[in-house]
Amino acid sequence: MKLNGKLDYLELPATSGTLDSVKSFYSAAFSWSFTDYGPTYSAFAEGLDGGFQADAGEAPAKPLPVIYSKDLEETLDAVESAGGTIVKPIFSFPGGRRFHFTDPAGNELAVWGR
């Protein structure tokens, strides 16, 4: 059920890479599936929670999508194999561990696990 005032959708740019290369990356790295809406838009449905970072030294310059993984090392290998670039190797934070990567379109995302 959709609730008024709740985050409902996350849209990422895919202008620095072709739409097909971005879809191929997320499919290979995370097994995402897509629904195409014409030649320049493709939707995914992969869950959404969120948080705010108030520490200026830790806060991202842009919103940072974060994906969960049961096996961080395995996912890091999958991201690299699919063509992602690791920009912050695995590190610990007060809730688990995570790493950051950029996708073929240049979007930065993080992956976290325990």
Side-chain angles (χ1 to χ4, degrees), residues 74-93:
E74 181 179 292
T75 302
L76 186 141
D77 290 342
V79 165
E80 288 183 314
S81 293
T85 301
I86 305 304
V87 295
K88 288 187 184 178
I90 294 173
F91 63 94
S92 295
F93 70 98

Side-chain angles (χ1 to χ4, degrees), residues 22-32 67-69 74-84 99 101 103-104 111:
V22 173
K23 287 169 39 182
S24 178
F25 169 78
Y26 284 99
S27 179
F30 301 106
S31 300
W32 286 12
I67 299 167
Y68 176 75
S69 171
E74 181 179 292
T75 302
L76 186 141
D77 290 342
V79 165
E80 288 183 314
S81 293
F99 68 90
F101 69 92
D103 68 15
V111 178

Side-chain angles (χ1 to χ4, degrees), residues 92-110:
S92 295
F93 70 98
R97 301 179 311 133
R98 75 185 201 192
F99 68 90
H100 293 207
F101 69 92
T102 55
D103 68 15
N107 297 303
E108 183 173 342
L109 288 86

Side-chain angles (χ1 to χ4, degrees), residues 14 17 19 36 42 52 71 105-106 109-110 113-114:
L19 184 59
D36 292 333
S42 192
F52 292 99
D71 186 328
L109 288 86
R114 297 200 190 272

